Amino acid sequence: MKWWTKRMERTIQLMETHLNIDLGNPPFLKLDNGLQIPYSSIKGITTGRPIPNAFKLYGFSFGGTRNGLFRFNGGYHLYFFNNEVDTLHFDLNNFLVGKFKISKLIIDVKNPEEISKTISERLT
């Protein structure tokens, strides 16, 4: 199954053992190949608000838009969204991206509730 959004030309593909998340070409981080997240690395998935008030380490944060690497409560987060209402939140089990262990990924997508439900079915 594949979803996409024109916001940043993101796609999410559900593979047999993992998710392929193409983030477009984020200007602040070298993620040309996107993220391949094993289902076993996903502890939980939610949608919408609240967004943690995290400290930006690298990237862009202005108004409701956040793109980049953030730090919150000792963990590293990746945020790629322009609208925090239509967001998908992945709680991760220290998923390694470069040298950082990511504990949360938040991206904006169309129909986050539908996508969340479908991915959650793969987690059980």
Side-chain angles (χ1 to χ4, degrees):
M1 192 166 290
K2 184 175 183 177
W3 290 278
W4 66 278
T5 176
K6 287 189 174 184
R7 290 188 178 115
M8 292 289 287
E9 297 188 21
R10 299 189 221 306
T11 59
I12 300 175
Q13 290 182 294
L14 280 67
M15 310 306 283
E16 187 174 329
T17 60
H18 64 280
L19 290 178
N20 278 339
I21 301 177
D22 183 350
L23 299 166
N25 190 12
F28 302 107
L29 297 171
K30 187 79 171 148
L31 295 172
D32 295 340
N33 296 327
L35 298 171
Q36 293 75 40
I37 304 174
Y39 295 120
S40 61
S41 292
I42 302 172
K43 293 192 296 188
I45 185 168
T46 57
T47 62
R49 293 182 176 144
I51 304 292
N53 188 17
F55 176 75
K56 178 184 58 135
L57 295 175
Y58 192 72
F60 178 79
S61 179
F62 183 76
T65 299
R66 295 186 201 168
N67 288 291
L69 179 67
F70 292 77
R71 186 105 166 136
F72 183 75
N73 284 347
Y76 293 99
H77 294 189
L78 285 174
Y79 298 157
F80 299 98
F81 63 86
N82 298 316
N83 173 358
E84 61 186 54
V85 173
D86 293 326
T87 52
L88 200 54
H89 302 229
F90 294 94
D91 292 317
L92 302 174
N93 189 14
N94 293 318
F95 176 69
L96 195 61
V97 176
K99 64 179 182 177
F100 299 100
K101 292 180 179 179
I102 304 300
S103 60
K104 185 174 275 292
L105 169 67
I106 301 177
I107 59 174
D108 60 349
V109 294
K110 290 183 181 178
N111 304 315
E113 290 82 13
E114 175 188 343
I115 296 170
S116 172
K117 181 181 177 199
T118 303
I119 294 171
S120 293
E121 291 170 357
R122 298 270 179 126
L123 302 180
T124 55

